[in-house]
Amino acid sequence: MALSSTSGEAGAMLPPATASTGATGAAKLAEYARAKARRHRRERLIEAVLLAAACVSVFTTLGIVYILVKESLVFFSHVPLWTFLTDRQWTPLFSDAHFGIVVLMSGTLTSSAVALSIAIPLGTAIAIYLSEFAGHRTRETLKPLLEMLSGVPTIIYGYFALLFVTPLIQKIYPDLPGFNVLSAGIVMGIMIIPYVSSLSEDAMRAVPMSLREGSYAMGATRYQTAVKVVVPAAMSGIASAYILGISRAVGETMILAVAAGMQPNLSFNPLEPAATITSYIVQVALGDLPHGSIGYQTIFAAGLSLMLLTLCFNLGGHWLRRRFREAY
């Protein structure tokens, strides 16, 4: 009887314990649901902030395009587009005004060609050395020192070209004028080397080691492996580095404004002074031309031309990346 009574009392006490356990479980589930909702709201907020940050560049680009197109339409309402593209003189600030953008385009392309003839070979060679031949300590020492070149103000490069490189070249070419495209292009190429070498070296180091090991197993030397295996495998990344260098050369301003002379000559001879699109924009933007005048509007037409030129190079780079892209 005592055992039966004890069992009855224990049975009578089970339902309250079960109810308490169920209430605790429900509270935990409710707290978990609230925590999950808070975490979901935080994630949505973070996504919104990141999306807004990503949209800043898009809206900035759209704003630039809007301003350039809007102001350029005002310019082209006074100057025919055909005249702008075919006139062989650029004298928008003279009484006998001419608006031939080909004059500024020739200076831009000539200076860019000189700079790229320096930056692309040297940058590629440096990238091959750092990626395939240099030791870890050497690479970690040389790469930061090389990238310091990109941190020097461009106006310093301009005076370096004018006061050091030009007198040096004049010892070889005594008839070289004080302002010329050659010295400005050479210094601009030196400035662009880190852009080409750094990105190219990153692309080469991303090539799987198995490709190198297979080349070594076939009896190839380190040089043959670097040139005939690694470089072709990393060509899409190297092409991106080249396009970045081209865009940087086309858009350079202060080196050309200081050392190239800002004289609008239709010539592709780097031994002569010339004006580029960017240097002309600096010249006019800092002048005393009244806002809204046809001379002032030329900077927007020139800027639109420069943007279209850069867009063409970027589209070419995109095609090269898709054409030579390798997936490992």
Side-chain angles (χ1 to χ4, degrees):
M1 293 294 293
L3 179 61
S4 176
S5 175
T6 304
S7 300
E9 291 177 0
M13 293 178 63
L14 282 176
T18 303
S20 176
T21 302
T24 303
K28 290 182 177 180
L29 288 176
E31 180 63 26
Y32 174 76
R34 288 192 294 269
K36 184 177 180 180
R38 289 194 299 268
R39 183 170 63 250
H40 181 69
R41 287 194 296 268
R42 285 196 299 268
E43 291 176 353
R44 293 295 298 272
L45 178 61
I46 293 172
E47 290 177 4
V49 172
L50 295 177
L51 178 61
C55 289
V56 168
S57 60
V58 177
F59 292 145
T60 302
T61 303
L62 292 177
I64 292 173
V65 172
Y66 171 75
I67 292 297
L68 289 177
V69 172
K70 177 185 175 182
E71 299 294 337
S72 296
L73 289 177
V74 177
F75 171 79
F76 288 119
S77 65
H78 296 86
V79 179
L81 178 61
W82 180 252
T83 301
F84 181 75
L85 296 176
T86 59
D87 198 337
R88 299 171 66 87
Q89 297 183 53
W90 180 263
T91 56
L93 307 182
F94 293 3
S95 57
D96 182 22
H98 290 270
F99 304 93
I101 192 62
V102 67
V103 177
L104 300 182
M105 198 68 71
S106 67
T108 299
L109 295 178
T110 302
S111 62
S112 299
V114 173
L116 295 173
S117 67
I118 301 293
I120 288 180
L122 288 180
T124 305
I126 291 172
I128 293 174
Y129 171 74
L130 292 177
S131 175
E132 304 302 316
F133 296 94
H136 176 74
R137 180 174 298 179
T138 303
R139 183 186 305 112
E140 295 300 320
T141 302
L142 290 181
K143 192 171 181 180
L145 292 176
L146 184 66
E147 292 176 349
M148 286 178 60
L149 291 175
S150 59
V152 177
T154 56
I155 193 168
I156 302 300
Y157 278 116
Y159 283 107
F160 174 73
L162 180 64
L163 301 177
F164 181 80
V165 178
T166 296
L168 199 63
I169 299 176
Q170 284 175 338
K171 295 181 179 179
I172 303 174
Y173 298 101
D175 296 332
L176 184 72
F179 296 100
N180 60 88
V181 175
L182 180 61
S183 61
I186 290 174
V187 174
M188 190 163 61
I190 295 173
M191 181 194 67
I192 296 173
I193 285 176
Y195 296 91
V196 177
S197 63
S198 181
L199 291 180
S200 298
E201 192 259 344
D202 291 339
M204 292 178 191
R205 288 181 62 82
V207 175
M209 186 58 65
S210 58
L211 294 181
R212 297 178 176 85
E213 293 172 349
S215 178
Y216 296 146
M218 296 295 292
T221 63
R222 294 181 68 181
Y223 176 78
Q224 292 172 331
T225 301
V227 174
K228 297 182 179 181
V229 176
V230 177
V231 171
M235 184 52 66
S236 62
I238 296 174
S240 300
Y242 291 169
I243 296 301
L244 177 62
I246 292 172
S247 300
R248 187 68 182 86
V250 170
E252 175 51 39
T253 303
M254 294 310 301
I255 296 177
L256 297 165
V258 172
M262 293 195 296
Q263 299 181 22
N265 299 320
L266 180 56
S267 173
F268 292 94
N269 185 1
L271 300 179
E272 298 179 358
T276 63
I277 296 176
T278 53
S279 63
Y280 171 76
I281 292 175
V282 170
Q283 180 184 5
V284 174
L286 298 179
D288 297 326
L289 288 177
H291 182 80
S293 64
I294 188 64
Y296 184 82
Q297 297 298 129
T298 55
I299 64 175
F300 297 101
L304 182 62
S305 302
L306 181 63
M307 188 190 70
L308 293 176
L309 179 63
T310 306
L311 178 63
C312 292
F313 287 130
N314 289 335
L315 290 177
H318 179 69
W319 178 82
L320 287 175
R321 286 194 297 271
R322 294 187 60 184
R323 174 67 177 80
F324 295 103
R325 183 177 179 84
E326 297 286 347
Y328 302 105

